[in-house]
Amino acid sequence: MINQKVRVEGDTKEEALTKAYQLIQQQVDKEFDKSNISLNLVKEEKRLWGLMGTKKVYQAVLKLREETDIDGDFNILIKEEGIFLEVIQPQGDGAGVSLAAIEEQITEKEIIEVDQEAVSEALTLGQEKIKIAERKPELDRDAEINLEISDDQLKAYLDYIPALGGKKLTADEIIDQVKERGVIFGLREEEFRAKFNQDKELESFLIAQGEEPTPGEDGQLDFKFDLDRQEQKVNLKEDGTADFYNLNRIVNVESGDLLVEKIPPVEGKAGTSVKGQEMPPKPVEEAEIPVGENVSLSDDGLFLEAEMEGQVVYTNQVVSVTKIHKVNGNVNLETGNIDFNGSVIINGNIEDGMEVKATGNIHVKGCVYNAQVESGGQITINKGFIAGDKGYLKAEGDIEVKFVENGIVETKGSLIVKQAIMHSQANARKKVIVEEGKGLIVGGEIRAGIEISAKEIGSNLATPTEIGVGVTPQLRDEYNKVKSKLETKKEKLEETIKNINLLNKQEAKGRLEGKKEQLLQQLTNQRNILSRKVKRLKTEQKELTNRLEEDVNARVKVKKTIYSGVNIMIGNQYKKIKKKNTHVQYYAGDEEIKSASY
């Protein structure tokens, strides 16, 4: 037995234990850990004037058993001629056998009329069998087993009570009894034989282990769009800062897009109880595919697709595609920017700095404040558009708004304003009409392809106001470029078709092979590409031709008053208004802009 002692100081017990461990490691060659060291506080005193806490001194003791230290043991033997006690004495510093331990086992074995002197004598002798009592056959007890099966039928536990003067049981006999009681699957025979001792009690030994059923997998739905997109979340920009505007809460889809895939369930595997009975797995459940509006389910019921372009939504446990996205309040940091494949209805305002884009129409029932609004259809704003340094409106169709202030507006249709356009830039491919209410255009630059019509243009203060209608020189240049490109592509297409026809004739005569076959394929591909380009250029040319023809009837119409400070451009002709005029319209003459009553 190693018994090493050291004294150490430490503010805490853990600190003292660490110091003791390090010191004893230097003194003892044996391996040990901190759990082998015991600590006792032997002294505690205050440090200098009590200002620095207390000093604690601990007695640390390491006790380690040597390999030659073997504890004592004993056996109680029941024979025909009596009951004997055999005591095996300890070796080295091993612990001796206690009288209490012997008496406890005598009581458990129900041995009576014990010779206490003989017991004491046996304690002093080494491995001698000392008779301590007479055997009483009427108290003999055969060995027995108890078997307990768990509620889930997957485990069987064995209790073994050794014989007391009666019939003993062998390992084979015990296993046979276990089988007779119905436990036949998953027997742990090898483990039992290694553990079993005829003369020693065995308690709650796992004698058999069943096989659990392998659970299956319920059917699942694989959503091909982000369900969490409908919840507010903040994205990060490339520089790591938070983007509070682009929350990407709208999920846009195209017709034919796969929205949901149904994954069939996977059946589980049956298990076996310790009694050999089949244990079926828990039944699996089919997933119900959530069919809503404007979606279609495949014939096999496994795939859900969009039937049209729009916003995919998952509400009330169904998936639908809607062509209209509604915002019940304002578009702000709470909703984030909107980018939608369809039409958008906003029941409130679009607040400063926000963006709304839609492939369809956009209807704002409130105001637009310094926001960016783009529509593939029409834009309707019940109230006004008040812009600043970033705000603009842009539409493929008409734009209707109550008033525009300091804004930028661009439309391929007409701009219809109920009250006024003030200090703004507007460009409409068709008309700009400001004829209701004040009907005022003042400040800024307003252009239209066909007509600008207002009650008043400019102001008494001669506010600089630029008005332009008709075809611009830039549009004519664009037309000429498209026309030139179209002629070039036509010539190349004709030449390509000519070469293809020549090679086809050679092929008909069987003279086409090798590189010429490859050339024919290249020319065929080139013909297809050129045909598509010619078709596109023709469409562009037709559209530009229509716009050029509108230049002939381009007009600026003033129902009431036009003021000095207004400059009018029709096509490439220019006129500066030097004095107030009323009920007048302007149009392009042969060499200058002319006017007439209106």
Side-chain angles (χ1 to χ4, degrees):
M1 173 73 74
I2 295 174
N3 190 358
Q4 191 72 23
K5 299 179 181 179
V6 293
R7 284 202 174 194
V8 291
E9 290 183 14
D11 291 335
T12 65
K13 200 168 185 178
E14 182 60 35
E15 181 185 349
L17 183 60
T18 301
K19 287 182 178 180
Y21 176 71
Q22 293 170 346
L23 281 173
I24 296 174
Q25 268 190 323
Q26 299 173 9
Q27 301 170 4
V28 176
D29 292 334
K30 295 281 185 179
E31 290 188 5
F32 64 95
D33 55 39
K34 291 181 180 180
S35 64
N36 300 122
I37 300 174
S38 60
L39 279 181
N40 290 308
L41 182 63
V42 295
K43 187 169 62 174
E44 184 175 6
E45 57 186 30
K46 292 183 178 180
R47 299 185 187 274
L48 183 63
W49 297 314
L51 299 176
M52 301 178 66
T54 59
K55 180 175 72 172
K56 296 178 181 178
V57 179
Y58 293 88
Q59 176 80 39
V61 180
L62 169 69
K63 289 187 178 182
L64 285 179
R65 293 166 62 101
E66 298 279 5
E67 293 180 2
T68 54
D69 295 334
I70 302 173
D71 292 340
D73 200 1
F74 68 95
N75 296 311
I76 295 177
L77 310 172
I78 300 174
K79 299 184 178 183
E80 291 292 334
E81 58 272 23
I83 298 173
F84 295 82
L85 173 62
E86 177 187 31
V87 176
I88 303 167
Q89 297 296 337
Q91 297 181 26
D93 289 328
V97 176
S98 70
L99 178 60
I102 294 173
E103 288 178 342
E104 181 180 355
Q105 195 169 124
I106 287 173
T107 301
E108 288 177 359
K109 292 181 178 292
E110 300 177 6
I111 301 171
I112 61 175
E113 299 178 5
V114 177
D115 184 348
Q116 295 297 331
E117 290 185 5
V119 172
S120 299
E121 181 184 1
L123 278 169
T124 61
L125 301 175
Q127 259 177 305
E128 288 190 27
K129 299 178 180 62
I130 305 297
K131 185 176 180 179
I132 59 172
E134 295 293 338
R135 179 182 175 187
K136 295 186 179 296
E138 67 273 16
L139 297 178
D140 284 356
R141 183 179 65 209
D142 293 341
E144 61 182 71
I145 66 168
N146 290 321
L147 200 60
E148 183 177 342
I149 298 175
S150 61
D151 293 339
D152 61 9
Q153 302 290 299
L154 289 171
K155 292 182 176 67
Y157 295 96
L158 174 72
D159 292 334
Y160 168 70
I161 302 170
L164 184 61
K167 182 182 176 183
K168 297 183 177 182
L169 288 175
T170 64
D172 288 339
E173 289 171 334
I174 291 174
I175 290 171
D176 288 342
Q177 285 191 29
V178 169
K179 291 178 179 178
E180 288 170 5
R181 297 188 191 187
V183 176
I184 58 174
F185 182 83
L187 286 168
R188 303 174 69 240
E189 292 190 32
E190 290 186 12
E191 294 86 344
F192 171 69
R193 293 180 191 279
K195 185 79 173 177
F196 177 66
N197 184 325
Q198 274 189 325
D199 298 322
K200 290 191 176 181
E201 188 174 314
L202 199 58
E203 186 176 357
S204 297
F205 179 79
L206 183 63
I207 189 66
Q209 172 74 62
E211 183 178 300
E212 290 190 57
T214 302
E217 295 180 8
D218 290 338
Q220 298 180 29
L221 297 178
D222 182 11
F223 289 85
K224 301 300 182 180
F225 59 95
D226 187 358
L227 288 173
D228 295 332
R229 284 269 290 276
Q230 297 179 31
E231 300 298 325
Q232 182 175 348
K233 58 182 180 180
V234 176
N235 299 312
L236 295 180
K237 299 179 183 178
E238 291 183 0
D239 61 3
T241 59
D243 186 351
F244 293 100
Y245 290 91
N246 295 303
L247 301 179
N248 298 324
R249 296 177 68 181
I250 298 174
V251 183
N252 291 309
V253 294
E254 303 287 337
S255 178
D257 280 356
L258 178 61
L259 305 178
V260 184
E261 179 181 354
K262 176 181 175 180
I263 301 174
V266 178
E267 295 290 341
K269 180 183 175 184
T272 308
S273 73
V274 292
K275 290 187 175 182
Q277 298 168 335
E278 182 177 279
M279 302 183 71
K282 181 181 177 182
V284 292
E285 296 183 1
E286 286 271 356
E288 293 296 329
I289 204 157
V291 181
E293 297 180 353
N294 303 315
V295 295
S296 60
L297 188 62
S298 61
D299 293 339
D300 58 11
L302 295 179
F303 302 98
L304 191 69
E305 295 182 350
E307 286 187 335
M308 69 177 198
E309 180 186 46
Q311 176 188 9
V312 60
V313 293
Y314 182 57
T315 54
N316 299 322
Q317 303 301 309
V318 295
V319 173
S320 301
V321 176
T322 176
K323 198 66 177 176
I324 298 176
H325 176 68
K326 291 184 179 180
V327 179
N328 289 324
N330 299 329
V331 174
N332 50 30
L333 291 179
E334 185 176 347
T335 63
N337 293 334
I338 293 174
D339 188 351
F340 180 56
N341 287 346
S343 296
V344 175
I345 296 176
I346 299 164
N347 289 326
N349 304 320
I350 303 178
E351 295 186 0
D352 195 333
M354 304 308 296
E355 296 178 8
V356 176
K357 298 179 182 179
T359 58
N361 300 329
I362 296 175
H363 185 181
V364 183
K365 296 185 179 180
C367 286
V368 176
Y369 296 101
N370 195 26
Q372 299 176 10
V373 182
E374 295 185 26
S375 168
Q378 298 179 351
I379 294 175
T380 303
I381 303 170
N382 288 8
K383 297 183 180 179
F385 172 44
I386 304 171
D389 56 340
K390 295 181 180 178
Y392 66 81
L393 306 179
K394 186 176 182 180
E396 295 290 317
D398 294 345
I399 295 177
E400 295 185 29
V401 59
K402 189 172 184 180
F403 66 87
V404 178
E405 183 178 338
N406 295 314
I408 298 173
V409 181
E410 183 179 344
T411 171
K412 291 183 179 179
S414 295
L415 171 61
I416 303 164
V417 181
K418 292 182 178 179
Q419 293 287 345
I421 303 175
M422 298 170 285
H423 309 289
S424 299
Q425 295 181 27
N427 192 339
R429 184 169 293 183
K430 293 183 178 179
K431 298 181 179 182
V432 174
I433 301 172
V434 194
E435 294 184 340
E436 296 183 30
K438 293 181 179 180
L440 172 66
I441 297 175
V442 60
E445 183 178 346
I446 311 300
R447 292 200 57 85
I450 301 173
E451 178 183 305
I452 293 176
S453 175
K455 286 184 178 180
E456 294 190 0
I457 301 178
S459 72
N460 284 321
L461 300 175
T463 305
T465 305
E466 301 292 328
I467 301 294
V469 292
V471 177
T472 63
Q474 291 84 357
L475 185 62
R476 292 188 185 278
D477 289 343
E478 185 180 350
Y479 173 82
N480 291 330
K481 285 180 182 178
V482 170
K483 182 180 178 182
S484 176
K485 282 184 181 180
L486 178 59
E487 290 173 354
T488 301
K489 296 299 181 187
K490 278 184 175 180
E491 289 175 3
K492 286 186 178 180
L493 180 59
E494 289 175 359
E495 183 68 24
T496 301
I497 292 172
K498 181 180 178 182
N499 291 330
I500 290 174
N501 290 335
L502 180 62
L503 290 172
N504 283 336
K505 289 179 181 179
Q506 293 182 16
E507 185 179 31
K509 295 178 182 180
R511 299 176 184 175
L512 195 65
E513 56 184 30
K515 292 184 178 180
K516 287 188 177 181
E517 286 183 349
Q518 189 176 5
L519 177 60
L520 177 59
Q521 183 61 47
Q522 291 174 350
L523 288 171
T524 303
N525 293 337
Q526 184 176 336
R527 179 197 62 191
N528 294 336
I529 294 170
L530 287 169
S531 296
R532 288 194 293 269
K533 288 183 177 180
V534 167
K535 182 179 179 181
R536 178 175 57 80
L537 288 168
K538 281 182 177 180
T539 302
E540 287 184 29
Q541 186 187 40
K542 184 178 180 181
E543 183 180 342
L544 290 169
T545 299
N546 292 337
R547 292 175 65 185
L548 288 171
E549 289 173 353
E550 293 170 352
D551 185 39
V552 177
N553 299 313
R555 293 285 192 276
V556 175
K557 298 178 179 181
V558 183
K559 281 190 172 183
K560 287 187 177 181
T561 307
I562 185 168
Y563 295 92
S564 63
V566 176
N567 298 318
I568 297 175
M569 178 177 284
I570 300 178
N572 55 5
Q573 296 176 2
Y574 182 81
K575 182 177 182 65
K576 186 172 183 178
I577 305 300
K578 297 180 180 179
K579 63 178 182 177
K580 183 169 68 172
N581 203 349
T582 59
H583 306 287
V584 63
Q585 63 175 318
Y586 298 91
Y587 58 94
D590 293 335
E591 296 181 357
E592 63 180 5
I593 294 175
K594 294 185 177 182
S595 64
S597 62
Y598 176 64

